[in-house]
Each structure stands twice: as structure tokens, then as C-alpha cells.
Amino acid sequence: MTQFKAPLRDIQFVIHELLNYESHYKTLPGGDEATPDMVDAISAEAAKFAEEVLAPLNHIGDQQGCRLENGEVTTPEGFKEAYQMWIDGGWQGLSHPTEYGGQGMPLSLGLIKSELVGTANWAWGMYPGLSLGAMNTLQVHGSDAQKQTYLTPLCSGEWTGTMCLTEAHCGSDLGQMKTKAERQSDGTFRVTGSKIFISAGEHDLAENIVHIVLARIPGAPEGTKGISLFIVPKFLPNADGSIGERNGVTCGSIEEKMGIHGNATCVLNFDGATGYLLGKENEGLPAMFTFMNTARVGTAIQGLAASELAYQNAVPYALERHSMRALSGTKNPDQVADAIIHHADVRRMLLTARAFAEGGRAMLYDAAKYADFMTQAGTEAEREQAENQLGFLTPILKAFLTETGLESASNAMQVYGGHGYIKEHGLEQIYRDARIATMYEGTTGIQAMDLIGRKVVLDRFRLYTTFSKKLYSHGLKTLFKGKRRGFAAKLLRSTLCWNWKTLKMVARASKDRDAVAAASYDFLMYSGYLSMAYYWSQMAELAERRLAEGTTEVDFYQAKLETAEFYFRRLLPRATAHAESMDSSTGSVMGMTEAHFSLR
């Protein structure tokens, strides 16, 4: 069974020293209350809840799974009690407005909470996690009446929320959506259709579930331009906010999955269910992107969580497991063999997971600043700018961190050898739970096309250029004034290569429409390695300064430098292979005929 210890010191390093959350919070309305002491206190309490309540339920949830009987879902043993503790602690509304019962803290503080909860027990964390997306969508796009009706119980946690997009026949191609919403004389809509893969779609944790549903109003334009967004609660709320009659939405089945067994992934049937238009008619997809970006950032946390949990559970085993002698000479003479931590390949796997976890944390926590402005900016223009900046980073965060999280989970199993493949130690559960993260909320391929297609080409390189300039600025400053000039030089070379390869790829696309699609995965992965290099360069500079100043935490900062060294010498070079693949001819991918795929 896996063990979890909250990495609070590293979190403090990122938010206080690297990213200076204190100054950031002072720019937000009401952010003065999020003092360093307050942030640390909240983080410590979240860590305690994650370690003592959620982590012990992780294996139980995987073993027991969820049960569906007569349309009602029962969650694993202990899940319901843990959720009540969550409600009692006021955790759900931590980062939402006080006028709806929340605590008014910045969204980025909620990200710390989400990381700790997700690493301890991802399947459990999905229940309140999906609610956050519903809450953010309602907060941005809901009417005042809708906010009053739904945000208050969602903030308290008494109600939960879901996102209902996927249908069996269309997957990510939402233009083929068949769920319809027929207008009624009282202004409501009758929603009819079926949605699949709905995480936390039915359960026994909360008294009501608020489904945020994409559907098409009859007569609407074809394709994605004719999709609207609706609120479809499990129970219709009464005028006083209490629970009313059951709505026409039921759970048809629970998916039998590879992992995250403790979360109910449902098929939901809408049989003339009462729905309420959320936002503007036929503008459901742009509104849903508020939810999707929240969900995609949440999924990126799962990648970080997989790297963190894999590392935490592989290191003790590598220290205790003895096998063969180290090639550089005997390390444990009192044992018949040396601890495997002394074998170079084991260290490679451990350092890979560590570099991805700590680098991913810096990437996510910095991006969370944009999320703060999305809901707390003073003007609509500022909110839109923040949403666009986060939108550019979202596919990189979601796809790159989930791919690297899966790699970390695989490496941790490999450290254990055959013992990692059996259930006793829980390493195989980390891998099974992490596998879905590269697929839901848009596969890695979908994220890659979103990044190069919508966020770079269609945006006319504006967001891309802004991000690229940030990398150049840091690299040049560090190259001439920093203590780790070698890292800065690698960052600058990689950024130049990124720009050149991107321009070449887009230029080829003017004559070959498949060129971008064929190179999109490599472009995304290159972007991920480059982005992480930017943060490891900053962390290395900071660690050097702290050591020069005479810190008492020499080991902590020295470990940062050693991990940064590993990243720049062993992981960043992977980007070169992706760059070469981006340059490859489209024909190497598209040249084979359909018939040849079947010839073996």
C-alpha cells in the first residue's frame, strides 16, 4: 500500500521564494488576507487531512470500487465520512466568494489543496474537484439568480458538480453532439440524450449533483457553433433553495475501468430533464472552456501527483532493497549486497520522477496566478487577458505533465522490479490511476493540436511570442549575471530552436495541410521540456543565492541544484529528438496507404 507525506517544504519554496505569492496576492481584491502565515497554516491543515484521512482510503477505494444498485451509486468504505469532514472543514469554498459562503481566498491557494488531496487519493479528490469546474463556470457565466441558487450549496460542498460533454458516437468531436434541449414556455428547456464517461456523475456523498451539460437547441446552427450550455440538477431546487423533486437524469451504468476505481465514472441518461440555459444561446462551447480549462489544469495536477507519489514510494524501497554490489565499489559492507540506490540506473529513474514532480509544481503554481485574475481581476479586459494566458499554457500543462507523470509511475514500478507489478506495494495502482490522465479532458494528441492550431496559428503567434520573450528575458539576464550560466545557455539555445522549428513547421503547412498535425505531438513535448527548463533554471539560480547567503538548509538547496543538473543534462536533451521529429517529412507519417496498415 502506498504511503504519502505532504511535500510542504518544497511547496513553501515554490510559492514563497520562487514565485513570491505574497506580492502577487497583494494585487488581488481581498488578497491581503492570504498572508504567508495564513497560506502555510491552510496548507498544513490540508496536508494533515490528506495524510491522515485520504491516504489510508486510497487502497480501499481501489479494491472496493463503486456499486450501482437501482440507479443509485454507493462509494467505497470511508469515502462518505471523509467527504463530510471535507464539508465540516469548509474546504470546498476555500477559493470562492464570501457572498456565496466561500472563504474568498485566491484560486491558486486552492491549487495547493488540490495537489495534496489528489496525491493522497486521486479517485476521492475527483468528487470535489469536478465541483470546482462547475463553480468556476457558474461564477463567470451564470446569471445572478443562478449564482445565488447554485453557488451557495456548491461552495459549502452540500452539492457537487459535473461536466457532461462526451457522447458515445462523437468523443472529442463535439460538433456531432446529439443531445437536444427543447425550449419550454416557462423559459426552461427539456434536455434529452445520453452522456458517457461522466466522472463523479452519481454518488452518495452529497444531497444533490449539478450537471453542466452541453446540448443543441433545435434549429441551432450545425457544428460547434450551435451548441449551448445548460444547468441540469439531479434534484430541482425549490424557491427557498431546498431540494425539490427528482429531475429526469439517471445513471445507466458505471464504467469498468483500468484505474481510479473509487470514482464513479457514469453513463448518464437525460430523459426530458429540466435544464436552465447557462450563458448565451449557441455560445455553450466557449463558456464550457472555462470548465474545461479548470478540468485540464486539474488533470495536470494528476500528472504532478503521479510523479510525486511515485517518487515518495520508490525512494524508501531503493534505500532498503539490497541487490548486487555497486560498480564503483562496495557501499554496504555489512550487507550481502548494496542498496539499489547505489546503482546508476535506479538513480536515473528516481531523479527523473523527482525532476518532473518539482518542475511540474513550479509550472502549475505559476500558471495558477492567471487563474486568480480570471475570477478576481478588476476589469473584464484583465480577466480575458488572464484567461488567454492560461489557455495558452493549459495544453502544455495538461499533456506534458500527465505524460511525464505516467513515465514516473512506470519508473517507480521498475525500481521495485517484480514487486512493483504485484498489488502489495501499490505501485501498480499509481500507474493504473495515472494512465487515464493522458486521455480524459482531451488526449495528448488533442492537446497538441489545440496548442499549435488554436493557441499558436489561429492566435497569430501573439501568446506564443509573449511566452517566448519571457524565456529569452530570463535566459539573457541569467547568462550575463547569473551563477548557473550553463543552464541559461541551454535554455536560450532551446528557445531559439523552438522558434525556428515552429516557423518551419507552419511554413510547410501552407503547402501541406497535414504537416502541423504530423508534428504537433513533438511540438507539444518540446514545449513542455522547454517550459520546465525555464523553471529549473530559476530554481537553480535561487538555490545558488540561498547557499551563497549562508542558509541553514544546505541539504535542501543543494538537492535542488543536483536535480536541476540532472534535468538539464539528462532530460532537456530529449527535446532535441522532438525537434528532429518535427522536421521530418509528413510522408513518414501519412505515406502508408490504409490497405497497408492491415498487411502483416
Side-chain angles (χ1 to χ4, degrees):
M1 190 170 73
T2 57
Q3 303 296 316
F4 171 65
K5 181 66 176 177
L8 288 178
R9 180 62 188 93
D10 197 63
I11 289 173
Q12 291 168 353
F13 168 79
V14 171
I15 63 176
H16 296 319
E17 301 177 62
L18 180 68
L19 302 178
N20 194 2
Y21 266 28
E22 182 180 9
S23 295
H24 165 66
Y25 286 156
K26 288 180 179 178
T27 66
L28 302 174
D32 289 342
E33 294 185 19
T35 63
D37 287 344
M38 176 65 76
V39 171
D40 288 346
I42 291 173
S43 300
E45 285 301 310
K48 183 179 179 181
F49 180 77
E51 292 171 356
E52 298 178 4
V53 178
L54 297 182
L57 297 176
N58 193 35
H59 182 61
I60 293 172
D62 183 60
Q63 283 188 313
Q64 294 183 2
C66 298
R67 302 189 312 276
L68 174 64
E69 296 178 3
N70 301 319
E72 302 294 331
V73 171
T74 302
T75 52
E77 176 185 334
F79 272 43
K80 189 171 184 177
E81 291 77 10
Y83 190 75
Q84 187 58 51
M85 294 175 66
W86 180 263
I87 293 175
D88 294 342
W91 287 108
Q92 189 64 29
L94 177 67
S95 301
H96 286 80
T98 55
E99 61 187 295
Y100 304 114
Q103 298 180 42
M105 291 292 178
L107 280 175
S108 52
L109 183 52
L111 184 72
I112 301 172
K113 171 196 69 176
S114 296
E115 184 203 332
L116 297 172
V117 167
T119 310
N121 190 330
W122 185 262
W124 186 94
M126 290 174 71
Y127 292 103
L130 267 295
S131 296
L132 293 175
M135 293 157 68
N136 291 341
T137 305
L138 280 161
Q139 187 174 338
V140 174
H141 301 287
S143 66
D144 290 341
Q146 288 172 339
K147 292 177 185 178
Q148 196 60 50
T149 299
Y150 295 101
L151 274 181
T152 298
L154 283 169
C155 280
S156 71
E158 295 172 290
W159 296 4
T160 62
T162 72
M163 174 172 62
C164 300
L165 285 77
T166 308
E167 298 179 12
H169 58 282
C170 64
S172 297
D173 187 0
L174 297 175
Q176 298 184 47
M177 184 176 299
K178 294 181 179 178
T179 299
K180 64 180 180 179
E182 299 173 291
R183 196 186 314 273
Q184 303 299 295
S185 59
D186 61 357
T188 64
F189 291 80
R190 289 176 60 83
V191 179
T192 303
S194 183
K195 300 286 185 177
I196 64 171
F197 303 157
I198 308 305
S199 300
E202 176 62 38
H203 54 78
D204 59 353
L205 304 185
E207 62 183 15
N208 200 6
I209 303 174
V210 182
H211 303 293
I212 306 298
V213 184
L214 282 179
R216 189 183 303 280
I217 299 172
E222 294 295 323
T224 57
K225 294 181 179 180
I227 295 175
S228 298
L229 193 60
F230 300 89
I231 303 168
V232 186
K234 175 181 176 180
F235 290 96
L236 298 172
N238 293 318
D240 61 359
S242 62
I243 294 295
E245 64 181 78
R246 179 70 184 255
N247 203 359
V249 53
T250 56
C251 177
S253 64
I254 298 178
E255 304 289 357
E256 295 289 336
K257 309 186 297 293
M258 176 180 176
I260 53 169
H261 295 153
N263 194 269
T265 305
C266 302
V267 173
L268 291 183
N269 297 319
F270 298 86
D271 301 308
T274 299
Y276 308 91
L277 184 65
L278 177 57
K280 297 179 180 179
E281 191 172 319
N282 297 330
E283 295 185 13
L285 201 56
M288 179 59 88
F289 268 109
T290 301
F291 201 143
M292 290 174 69
N293 282 336
T294 301
R296 286 172 176 174
V297 171
T299 305
I301 296 173
Q302 186 177 5
L304 161 59
S307 291
E308 179 65 40
L309 193 62
Y311 180 76
Q312 285 196 21
N313 284 271
V315 168
Y317 187 82
L319 292 168
E320 296 166 3
R321 170 74 166 170
H322 291 76
S323 181
M324 300 181 288
R325 290 298 182 189
L327 293 178
S328 57
T330 299
K331 307 300 181 185
N332 303 122
D334 56 331
Q335 300 286 336
V336 297
D338 293 326
I340 63 174
I341 190 74
H342 298 295
H343 300 314
D345 194 56
V346 171
R347 287 179 168 239
R348 173 190 64 81
M349 293 185 286
L350 294 175
L351 282 166
T352 297
R354 178 174 182 138
F356 285 149
E358 295 180 7
R361 181 171 294 116
M363 290 170 68
L364 274 168
Y365 284 23
D366 196 19
K369 291 181 177 180
Y370 294 122
D372 287 335
F373 285 116
M374 278 175 59
T375 56
Q376 295 179 278
T379 66
E380 180 64 23
E382 290 175 325
R383 189 198 70 76
E384 184 176 351
Q385 182 183 24
E387 187 168 2
N388 289 337
Q389 294 286 353
L390 181 60
F392 174 79
L393 297 174
T394 294
I396 301 175
L397 295 170
K398 191 278 180 186
F400 182 72
L401 294 186
T402 57
E403 291 287 351
T404 55
L406 188 65
E407 179 184 345
S408 298
S410 179
N411 278 337
M413 290 177 66
Q414 197 81 350
V415 169
Y416 274 71
H419 292 286
Y421 193 68
I422 62 176
K423 291 183 178 294
E424 177 184 356
H425 301 286
L427 273 295
E428 54 84 38
Q429 184 191 340
I430 300 176
Y431 186 88
R432 287 187 291 105
D433 287 352
R435 186 64 187 89
I436 185 59
T438 66
M439 294 183 278
Y440 57 19
E441 311 306 339
T443 64
T444 300
I446 292 291
Q447 301 299 324
M449 285 300 296
D450 178 51
L451 177 62
I452 186 61
R454 295 181 65 247
K455 308 299 174 56
V456 177
V457 176
L458 292 181
D459 186 60
R460 299 179 183 275
F461 287 81
R462 286 172 293 195
L463 293 168
Y464 174 93
T465 301
T466 299
F467 186 68
S468 181
K469 285 181 178 179
K470 184 163 68 171
L471 304 188
Y472 274 126
S473 177
H474 169 76
L476 287 172
K477 181 178 70 174
T478 308
L479 185 65
F480 293 107
K481 297 183 179 179
K483 296 179 180 296
R484 288 277 167 165
R485 295 180 178 86
F487 294 167
K490 289 177 184 289
L491 177 64
L492 285 170
R493 283 198 300 269
S494 297
T495 305
L496 284 168
C497 179
W498 189 47
N499 289 341
W500 173 236
K501 298 293 184 181
T502 302
L503 289 172
K504 287 179 66 178
M505 176 179 58
V506 174
R508 286 201 311 274
S510 64
K511 298 179 180 179
D512 180 1
R513 299 301 294 271
D514 286 321
V516 167
S520 60
Y521 166 78
D522 292 294
F523 173 74
L524 184 142
M525 294 303 291
Y526 192 111
S527 302
Y529 283 112
L530 176 61
S531 299
M532 190 170 281
Y534 167 65
Y535 290 96
W536 268 117
S537 176
Q538 293 180 78
M539 288 190 284
E541 284 295 316
L542 179 55
E544 285 277 21
R545 288 202 305 273
R546 292 289 184 264
L547 289 169
E549 291 165 359
T551 178
T552 59
E553 296 181 284
V554 173
D555 289 341
F556 176 84
Y557 292 107
Q558 189 61 42
K560 279 289 177 198
L561 287 177
E562 292 163 351
T563 310
E565 183 79 17
F566 177 84
Y567 183 84
F568 276 95
R569 292 190 179 275
R570 295 282 178 162
L571 296 180
L572 182 60
R574 295 181 181 184
T576 301
H578 287 295
E580 291 186 9
S581 293
M582 287 169 60
D583 259 353
S584 298
S585 68
T586 307
S588 63
V589 175
M590 303 302 295
M592 183 180 286
T593 66
E594 295 91 327
H596 286 178
F597 275 94
S598 301
L599 293 177
R600 301 298 298 275

